[in-house]
Amino acid sequence: MGKAWMFGENLNTDEIIPGRFNITIDPIELAKNIFFEIKPAYAINVKNGDIIGGGQNFGCGSSREHAPIAIKGSQAKCIIASSYARIFFRNAINIGLPIFECPEAVADIEEGNEVVVDISSGNINNITKGHTYQARALPDFFLKIVAAGGIVNFLKDHNIQELVA
């Protein structure tokens, strides 16, 4: 269970982690400045297992991996958004950050709500409101990448044929 941190439409990667902080790829260092300009309380108050929510086109803007790395470094459990910018979606999966599309959940969840997400099924439960939503479950090979902590770790431990089989 985690607290929901909600963001609006078209949240771009520079709002997630401003470019001036992208001098490292260390997740913990990046997380210290996450949402620095739009929600500075996040970096100070986020707890392991909290959930990030956002509207349409989450992660638009530059294609740098710094944004999903910063989110993962902040120990957020996952992101729930109405839709994602294509490159952000791919970068998130590649670094092992679970992301779900569920416009119904985003429309109903409010900042501070307690939320539980089942990563394997895509089931989202808003404990605060007593509402349940069903995101499209991540494909099995995405779950394998997430469980390994990212594509690089997965490929170190597995034959690439396992990924495409």
Side-chain angles (χ1 to χ4, degrees):
M1 182 167 19
K3 174 183 172 179
W5 294 86
M6 302 304 290
F7 298 87
E9 309 287 322
N10 302 306
L11 181 71
N12 72 59
T13 54
D14 287 325
E15 291 172 314
I16 297 169
I17 183 74
R20 67 184 175 278
F21 298 114
N22 291 339
I23 56 175
T24 180
I25 57 168
D26 179 77
I28 303 304
E29 287 301 312
L30 287 169
K32 291 177 183 177
N33 296 298
I34 191 169
F35 304 120
F36 180 80
E37 295 172 344
I38 61 170
K39 199 173 286 198
Y42 178 89
I44 299 164
N45 297 306
V46 64
K47 303 283 187 255
N48 187 9
D50 282 357
I51 308 299
I52 293 176
Q56 293 188 30
N57 204 27
F58 189 100
C60 60
S62 67
S63 61
R64 294 182 299 248
E65 290 181 331
H66 293 81
I69 290 171
I71 291 171
K72 187 175 180 183
S74 77
Q75 299 186 34
K77 179 176 184 167
C78 67
I79 304 170
I80 305 165
S82 297
S83 67
Y84 295 89
R86 186 176 154 276
I87 194 71
F88 182 90
F89 183 92
R90 184 37 84 200
N91 284 339
I93 295 300
N94 283 346
I95 62 134
L97 176 65
I99 57 177
F100 296 94
E101 288 185 2
C102 190
E104 300 80 16
V106 171
D108 191 47
I109 296 171
E110 297 175 21
E111 179 117 357
N113 285 174
E114 293 293 327
V115 178
V116 175
V117 178
D118 182 325
I119 300 297
S120 62
S121 70
N123 184 272
I124 302 164
N125 189 351
N126 184 334
I127 302 299
T128 303
K129 292 187 174 184
H131 298 164
T132 300
Y133 328 91
Q134 184 61 55
R136 185 170 16 137
L138 295 174
D140 286 341
F141 71 95
F142 280 15
L143 292 172
K144 289 177 184 179
I145 293 169
V146 167
I151 189 79
V152 172
N153 291 338
F154 179 87
L155 292 174
K156 284 180 183 176
D157 296 334
H158 298 85
N159 183 315
I160 195 164
Q161 293 304 314
E162 292 180 54
L163 195 59
V164 295

